[in-house]
Amino acid sequence: MAASLDSGAPIGIAATACVSTVVLAGVLHLPELPAPAWSLPVLLAALAFRRWRFPLLCIGVLLALTLLRAQGRLDDRLPEAQWGEEAWISGWVADIPQAGPRVQRLVFTPAARSWPRRLRVSWYDPEELIAAGQCWNLRLKLRPPRGSSNPGGADYEAWLLREGIGGLATVREARRCAPDRQGAAHWRQRLVDRTRALLPEHPARPLVLGLSSGYRGEMMDSQWRTLRRTGTSHLLAISGLHLGIVAGLMYGVVWRLWAWFPGLVRRWPATRVAAASAVLASAAFALLSGWQLPVQRALLMAVIGFAALMLGLWQRPFAVVGLAAVAVLLFDPLAVLAPGFWLSFGAVLCIVFLVQSRGRSGVLKMWWRIQWGLALLLLPLSLAWFGEASLVAPLTNLVLVPVFTVLLPALMLGLSAALLGLGDGLLQLAADGLQLCMVGLELAAGMPGAHWVPARVGWPLQFLFGCGLFLLILPGALRQPLPGIVCLLPLLLARPETPAPGDYDLLVLDVGQGSAALLRTAGHSLVFDAGAAYRGGFDAGELIVVPALRYWGITRLDALVLSHGDLDHRGGAAALRKAIPVVSRLGHAGRPCQRGVSWVWDGVEFEFLHPDGPQWQGNDASCVLAVRGRRLNTLLTGDIESQAESALLRSLGTALVSEVIVVPHHGSASSSTREFIAAVGPRIAIISAGYRNRWGFPDPAVVARYQRSDSRIYNTAADGAIRVRSSAGAGPQVETWRDEYRRWWHLSAPIGQARGE
């Protein structure tokens, strides 16, 4: 093998890994999943072309395994027909539950094979604390894995697919059963419980739990925000860095100790014994930290790395990284759907490139270059996956990675000593050190310009941006400053496309059973309602509305209108105001939206049509906003019902005419009377409702009324976010997010069901 590597195979291995990754990523982002037979032409080509046999065979096998694994994940999901079905299911709690204010979320492994392999279960107000490994017989209300579809928002269905979760459920009744499972999850639970008892009030306890056992259920949103803004989230997400620290420490200790026994060294070389010990220590730490997929990938990379070290192949690092990538894809073909895969291998390749290209250099100088190089070269990946990047990441990582290299072993030793009854002094000291690190990170996160959230652009500009950074970081005479800067400029100068003066865009977001809409003119933006927020953890403002605003590069909101006080309309407003400055607040908890209040932005008129006095209460007190552009009129109606509709008809009549209407009260039978629809005359009717919501919105009779008026009906439950644009001569153009950005793992709604037909 060494001879083959010396003869040019490293380039082939690395190229094969790169091509395989790109092919798998392309296939796995198709709207429909191809059949496994797609791999046959590649495998046949491997037999026909001897020179290219290895790469073609590798790509063909990976493609076949990927399609088979993906189809297996689809087959493991609950079918649509079981939505809302209730059933008694016995099984075990597979991991430490995530505890919220009044809910515990857990991964449940059913005992019977007729159910999906893993279910994500929400248990509201349980009578006792649930623990990993416990056996339960649960009466569950089931639903297939489905999430919202919005610009800039996280793809919940993709995350469920990667985690192997085939269904969602809510607990209705519960009974304990036996026997409990005494596996790794059970021992992790005991470790978490003991750590909580040792650090009952320490502010760094969430960090200690995250680093020692991989349990991050106690992390607060503010702590995660600080880590994201400083580019240090990887310090808490146990993966390659942490396994590297454990493996490196074990390797160094064993290698030093083994040198004291010359007789053993002659029989078993210190390098091999130290490498094997490092792999065993890494595996133990991986089990202790939850055995999540990122940890499994990191462990596999470590095994291949130490195998290369024992075989003397480290002189070909790119080949070793390529072999590791192929091994990871063989182990988990769907890894290319996870940002951790790209960031992990991107970081390793960056480090190898920087170390090899710099030649001999001092340790501190090389460490500085690696941190800056990593920050720059991984910047395009961060922007592509998360839409944001930290500009202080090089400085924070320059300091904290060495600090964590010391703190992590100290934490593990201190925790071990405390668990053995030898005192908790070292544990307290390590926890204090972590808290000092967090204070420093909060200061860094608050620095001006620490966080960059550019408007989203297409992948060609992101790729060009990455090429520019690579040209700037090349060593010595290879560096190309001018071409590099030229490649950077398109993304740096890119601005989101905005409507022309007199036109506007309307985006009705998919916030489940609630309402949130964004209107954007040439130079201003307005949010009408902000979705719901619940104590159980879901906040549409933080998870949906804010990412959508950032997706379009909106850093300041000119107006926030909350139509009324119902939670599903105003719940997300607090998170929205916290994330993005709001110039003017109207409606609920703001300046009243009385009839006659109007203004003009960029040639577009905004006017409140309702309420016309303080006599209105409840849903009928909702703000009604008319938006009139040069080619498109829109009516935003909140939750008004038939009484308010009648008042609008009597006072305004034909002034209600609009091409677009956001249907009142989510399509409730108490709204959208025949006379009101006739007066508005909408060509496009948009319903904001939750998929299979318990109220049955939209009411079929309401849908039928809009159909009789020749309206095109759209529903966020079926279509995801809905964007309406006005354009010259073509009338309003409608784009639905679930159709435009569909992937094969997205659950489709039965025809007509979600629209109430």
Coordinates of all heavy atoms in Angstrom, one line a residue, residues 345-378:
F345 N -14.3 17.9 7.6 CA -13.3 17.6 6.6 C -12.7 18.9 6.0 O -11.5 18.9 5.7 CB -13.9 16.8 5.5 CG -14.0 15.3 5.9 CD1 -15.1 14.7 6.3 CD2 -12.8 14.5 5.8 CE1 -15.2 13.4 6.7 CE2 -12.9 13.2 6.1 CZ -14.0 12.6 6.6
G346 N -13.5 20.0 5.9 CA -13.0 21.2 5.5 C -11.9 21.7 6.4 O -10.8 22.2 6.0
A347 N -12.1 21.6 7.8 CA -11.2 22.0 8.7 C -9.9 21.2 8.6 O -8.8 21.7 8.7 CB -11.7 22.0 10.1
V348 N -10.0 19.9 8.5 CA -8.9 19.0 8.4 C -8.0 19.3 7.2 O -6.8 19.4 7.2 CB -9.3 17.5 8.5 CG1 -8.1 16.6 8.2 CG2 -9.9 17.2 9.8
L349 N -8.7 19.5 6.1 CA -8.0 19.8 4.8 C -7.3 21.1 4.9 O -6.2 21.3 4.4 CB -9.0 19.8 3.6 CG -9.5 18.4 3.2 CD1 -10.6 18.6 2.2 CD2 -8.3 17.6 2.6
C350 N -8.0 22.1 5.5 CA -7.3 23.4 5.7 C -6.1 23.3 6.6 O -5.0 23.9 6.2 CB -8.3 24.4 6.4 SG -9.7 24.9 5.3
I351 N -6.1 22.6 7.7 CA -5.0 22.4 8.5 C -3.8 21.8 7.8 O -2.7 22.2 7.9 CB -5.4 21.7 9.8 CG1 -6.3 22.5 10.7 CG2 -4.1 21.3 10.6 CD1 -6.9 21.8 11.8
V352 N -4.1 20.7 7.1 CA -3.1 20.0 6.3 C -2.5 20.9 5.3 O -1.2 20.9 5.1 CB -3.7 18.7 5.6 CG1 -2.7 18.1 4.7 CG2 -4.1 17.7 6.7
F353 N -3.3 21.6 4.6 CA -2.8 22.5 3.5 C -1.9 23.6 4.2 O -0.8 23.9 3.7 CB -4.0 23.1 2.8 CG -3.6 24.3 1.9 CD1 -2.9 24.0 0.7 CD2 -3.8 25.6 2.3 CE1 -2.5 25.1 -0.1 CE2 -3.4 26.6 1.4 CZ -2.8 26.4 0.2
L354 N -2.4 24.2 5.2 CA -1.6 25.3 5.9 C -0.3 24.8 6.4 O 0.7 25.5 6.3 CB -2.4 26.0 6.9 CG -3.7 26.7 6.4 CD1 -4.6 27.1 7.6 CD2 -3.2 28.0 5.7
V355 N -0.3 23.6 7.1 CA 0.9 23.1 7.7 C 1.9 22.7 6.6 O 3.1 23.0 6.7 CB 0.6 21.9 8.5 CG1 1.9 21.1 8.9 CG2 -0.2 22.3 9.8
Q356 N 1.5 22.1 5.5 CA 2.4 21.7 4.4 C 2.9 22.9 3.6 O 4.0 22.9 3.2 CB 1.7 20.7 3.5 CG 1.5 19.3 4.1 CD 1.4 18.3 3.0 OE1 0.9 18.5 1.9 NE2 1.9 17.1 3.4
S357 N 2.1 23.9 3.4 CA 2.5 25.0 2.6 C 3.4 26.0 3.3 O 4.0 26.8 2.6 CB 1.2 25.7 2.0 OG 0.5 26.3 3.1
R358 N 3.4 26.0 4.6 CA 4.2 27.0 5.3 C 5.6 26.6 5.6 O 6.4 27.4 6.0 CB 3.5 27.4 6.6 CG 2.2 28.0 6.4 CD 2.3 29.4 5.8 NE 1.0 30.0 5.5 CZ 0.8 31.2 5.0 NH1 1.8 31.8 4.5 NH2 -0.4 31.6 4.8
G359 N 5.9 25.3 5.4 CA 7.3 24.8 5.7 C 7.6 24.9 7.2 O 6.8 24.8 8.0
R360 N 8.9 25.1 7.5 CA 9.3 25.2 8.9 C 8.9 26.5 9.4 O 9.1 27.6 8.9 CB 10.8 25.0 9.0 CG 11.3 23.7 8.6 CD 12.8 23.5 8.8 NE 13.2 22.2 8.5 CZ 13.2 21.2 9.4 NH1 12.8 21.4 10.7 NH2 13.6 20.0 9.1
S361 N 8.3 26.5 10.6 CA 7.8 27.7 11.3 C 7.7 27.5 12.7 O 7.5 26.3 13.2 CB 6.5 28.2 10.7 OG 6.0 29.4 11.2
G362 N 7.8 28.6 13.5 CA 7.6 28.4 15.0 C 6.2 28.0 15.3 O 5.3 28.2 14.6
V363 N 6.1 27.4 16.5 CA 4.8 26.8 16.9 C 3.7 27.9 17.0 O 2.6 27.8 16.5 CB 4.9 26.1 18.3 CG1 3.6 25.6 18.8 CG2 5.9 24.9 18.1
L364 N 4.1 29.0 17.7 CA 3.1 30.1 17.9 C 2.7 30.7 16.6 O 1.6 31.0 16.3 CB 3.7 31.2 18.9 CG 3.9 30.7 20.3 CD1 4.5 31.8 21.1 CD2 2.5 30.3 20.9
K365 N 3.7 30.9 15.7 CA 3.4 31.5 14.4 C 2.5 30.6 13.6 O 1.6 31.1 12.9 CB 4.7 31.8 13.7 CG 4.6 32.6 12.4 CD 5.9 33.0 11.8 CE 5.7 33.8 10.5 NZ 7.0 34.1 9.9
M366 N 2.9 29.3 13.6 CA 2.0 28.4 12.9 C 0.6 28.3 13.5 O -0.4 28.2 12.7 CB 2.7 27.0 12.9 CG 1.8 25.9 12.2 SD 1.5 26.3 10.5 CE 3.2 26.2 9.8
W367 N 0.5 28.4 14.8 CA -0.9 28.3 15.4 C -1.7 29.6 15.0 O -2.9 29.4 14.7 CB -0.7 28.3 16.9 CG -2.0 28.2 17.7 CD1 -2.5 29.2 18.4 CD2 -2.9 27.1 17.7 NE1 -3.7 28.8 18.9 CE2 -4.0 27.5 18.5 CE3 -2.9 25.9 17.1 CZ2 -5.1 26.7 18.7 CZ3 -4.0 25.1 17.3 CH2 -5.1 25.5 18.1
W368 N -1.0 30.7 14.9 CA -1.7 31.9 14.5 C -2.2 31.8 13.0 O -3.3 32.1 12.7 CB -0.8 33.1 14.7 CG -1.3 34.4 14.1 CD1 -0.8 35.0 12.9 CD2 -2.3 35.3 14.6 NE1 -1.5 36.2 12.7 CE2 -2.4 36.4 13.7 CE3 -3.1 35.2 15.8 CZ2 -3.3 37.4 14.0 CZ3 -4.0 36.3 16.0 CH2 -4.1 37.3 15.1
R369 N -1.3 31.3 12.2 CA -1.7 31.1 10.8 C -2.8 30.1 10.6 O -3.7 30.3 9.8 CB -0.5 30.7 10.0 CG 0.6 31.8 9.8 CD 1.8 31.2 9.1 NE 2.8 32.3 8.8 CZ 4.0 32.1 8.4 NH1 4.5 30.8 8.3 NH2 4.8 33.1 8.1
I370 N -2.8 29.0 11.4 CA -3.8 28.0 11.2 C -5.2 28.6 11.6 O -6.2 28.4 10.9 CB -3.5 26.8 12.1 CG1 -2.4 26.0 11.4 CG2 -4.7 25.9 12.3 CD1 -1.9 24.8 12.3
Q371 N -5.2 29.4 12.7 CA -6.5 30.0 13.1 C -7.1 31.0 12.1 O -8.3 30.9 11.8 CB -6.3 30.7 14.5 CG -6.1 29.7 15.6 CD -7.1 28.6 15.7 OE1 -8.3 28.8 15.5 NE2 -6.7 27.4 15.9
W372 N -6.2 31.8 11.6 CA -6.7 32.8 10.6 C -7.0 32.0 9.3 O -8.0 32.3 8.6 CB -5.6 33.8 10.3 CG -5.7 35.0 11.2 CD1 -4.9 35.3 12.3 CD2 -6.7 36.0 11.2 NE1 -5.3 36.4 12.9 CE2 -6.4 36.9 12.3 CE3 -7.8 36.3 10.4 CZ2 -7.2 38.0 12.6 CZ3 -8.6 37.4 10.7 CH2 -8.3 38.2 11.8
G373 N -6.2 31.0 8.9 CA -6.5 30.3 7.7 C -7.8 29.5 7.8 O -8.6 29.5 6.9
L374 N -8.0 28.9 9.0 CA -9.3 28.2 9.2 C -10.5 29.1 9.1 O -11.5 28.8 8.5 CB -9.3 27.5 10.5 CG -8.6 26.1 10.6 CD1 -8.5 25.6 12.0 CD2 -9.3 25.1 9.7
A375 N -10.4 30.3 9.7 CA -11.5 31.2 9.8 C -11.8 31.7 8.3 O -13.0 31.8 8.0 CB -11.1 32.4 10.6
L376 N -10.8 31.9 7.5 CA -11.0 32.4 6.2 C -11.5 31.3 5.3 O -12.5 31.5 4.5 CB -9.8 33.0 5.6 CG -9.3 34.3 6.3 CD1 -8.0 34.8 5.7 CD2 -10.3 35.4 6.1
L377 N -10.9 30.2 5.3 CA -11.3 29.1 4.3 C -12.6 28.5 4.7 O -13.3 27.9 3.8 CB -10.2 28.1 4.3 CG -8.8 28.6 3.7 CD1 -7.8 27.4 3.7 CD2 -9.0 29.0 2.2
L378 N -13.0 28.5 5.9 CA -14.3 27.9 6.3 C -15.4 28.9 6.3 O -16.6 28.5 6.5 CB -14.2 27.3 7.7 CG -13.3 26.1 7.9 CD1 -13.3 25.5 9.3 CD2 -13.7 25.0 6.9

